[in-house]
Amino acid sequence: VQLGLPEQRLTKRRKSRQVMVGDVPVGGDAPVSVQSMCTTVTANIDATLQQIAELTASGCQIVRVAVPSQDDADALPIIAKKSPIPVIADIHFQPKYVFAALEAGCAAVRVNPGNIKKFDDKVAEIAKAAADVGTPIRIGVNAGSLDPRLLKKYGKATPDALVESALWECSLFEEHGFRDIKISVKHHDPVVMIQAYRQLAKACEYPLHLGVTEAGPAFQGTVKSSVAFGALLAEGIGDTIRVSLSAPPVEEVKVGTQILESLGLKERGLEIVSCPSCGRAQVDVYRLTEEVMAALEGFPAPLRVAVMGCVVNGPGEAREADLGVASGNGKGQIFVKGKVVKTVPESQIAEALVEEAMKLGEQMGVI
Ligand code: SF4
């Protein structure tokens, strides 16, 4: 699999073992995948499947559901069967739900050994049950629920503590010959998180699930995750990502997808190259950009559209794009593949761009 165009590739991907989460490969040379997590009560099967459908439509490739009760565990067989994308059961505290999730046909199980009492005693059973059904396990270490032994040793959730916890838990599985593992070591602070993943990347070959945990509301969480994932992915570290936002999970998927697209790790869908506007602007760039984005959202092929406020950089950028507009004097020059195809009044710019996009779509055979 080629990740990005050669000239866009930032670095070689870290070598990792591949695991299969349902039909989605994670690690090795598989593209970095985007995950999210349902906010519904898992026992509410209809609501959960509805949210999974929305997440799938937004580009989510793997979805996680929380399993804090027996009712949730009981819902897993139907959800795992009906979900169009692989479902990971997220288990804290209760190892019995791990077995339920494996039996239910979940594509993977996430365990947080730090908060499963007597986890060490249960590992042999979990490893055997998971191996029997060929299901991988994510060892999900979280700063907020670090193993008390390591918290005592390090005083707080340092990168060393997070990594030691993860590797210790891996070693317990390895003792039983189980290696279908992926790991996360999440922290709310991107600096700690980056250091932890760098250490982990050197110390093992397991695929890594990147996450800044409790990243915050949409704006802050987007920035924190983008900075942290960007730093790591640019170094070739990270095999699957989940952006955590205090916002609807579809937003997490949009941000995750944009991060991958920005680094050339995923083929772009719609890309709007719009200027920030300035005192030279001869059109309301913000409004026009919003209009064009809304009209072309979901365009079924990669498309770069330039929306430029004046003629200084406008024609140059518009020519570089598949399609674009350079505005001036109440008019917009519409460019397609570098050529001016028409000039329209300002009020008709968005409409004209959409019309040309549709023509391009027809030529590409996607519309
Ligand atoms: Fe300003 Fe024109 Fe550049 Fe937009 S394209 S930022 S309006 S100079």
Side-chain angles (χ1 to χ4, degrees), residues 55-96:
L55 285 166
T56 306
S58 70
C60 184
Q61 293 162 284
I62 297 170
V63 67
R64 196 149 43 103
V65 297
V67 188
S69 76
Q70 188 59 49
D71 286 349
D72 299 314
D74 292 343
L76 291 175
I78 297 179
I79 291 172
K81 188 161 177 246
K82 292 198 170 171
S83 169
I85 53 175
V87 174
I88 301 183
D90 190 85
I91 319 276
H92 292 258
F93 304 112
Q94 298 265 24
K96 67 179 176 183

Side-chain angles (χ1 to χ4, degrees), residues 252-332:
E252 299 182 345
V253 175
K254 286 188 191 164
V255 174
T257 303
Q258 279 282 326
I259 292 172
L260 297 184
E261 288 181 355
S262 301
L263 289 167
L265 294 173
K266 191 177 176 73
E267 190 176 76
R268 278 190 182 278
L270 175 66
E271 180 186 8
I272 304 279
V273 181
S274 59
C275 82
S277 189
C278 73
R280 281 182 288 264
Q282 294 177 356
V283 70
D284 183 345
V285 177
Y286 303 163
R287 183 187 49 75
L288 185 58
T289 304
E290 289 293 332
E291 265 179 45
V292 173
M293 258 178 69
L296 292 176
E297 198 176 357
F299 189 80
L303 191 72
R304 178 181 288 170
V305 183
V307 179
M308 309 301 289
C310 79
V311 291
V312 173
N313 292 319
E317 285 288 0
R319 271 193 206 103
E320 291 291 310
D322 295 309
L323 171 71
V325 61
S327 309
N329 288 332
K331 291 185 202 137

Side-chain angles (χ1 to χ4, degrees), residues 14 26 35 64 88 90 92 109-114 137-146 158-159 161-170 181-187 192-194 196-198 200-201 204 206-213 229 232 237-242 244:
R14 162 184 167 263
V26 174
Q35 308 198 13
R64 196 149 43 103
I88 301 183
D90 190 85
H92 292 258
V109 177
R110 180 268 170 118
V111 293
N112 181 348
I137 300 276
R138 166 150 75 95
I139 292 177
V141 176
N142 247 15
S145 48
L146 190 65
T158 61
L162 294 167
V163 172
E164 187 174 326
S165 175
L167 294 178
W168 162 249
E169 283 134 22
C170 287
I181 296 170
K182 59 194 178 87
I183 312 179
S184 61
V185 281
K186 298 191 184 181
H187 196 285
V192 178
M193 178 271 192
I194 290 169
Y197 276 98
R198 278 181 179 157
L200 194 56
C204 72
Y206 292 116
L208 303 182
H209 163 122
L210 302 186
V212 176
T213 190
F229 295 6
L232 290 166
I237 298 170
D239 301 287
T240 182
I241 61 171
R242 189 253 170 134
S244 302

Side-chain angles (χ1 to χ4, degrees), residues 206-231:
Y206 292 116
L208 303 182
H209 163 122
L210 302 186
V212 176
T213 190
E214 289 105 31
F219 179 73
Q220 181 187 293
T222 298
V223 174
K224 276 186 167 185
S225 301
S226 305
V227 167
F229 295 6

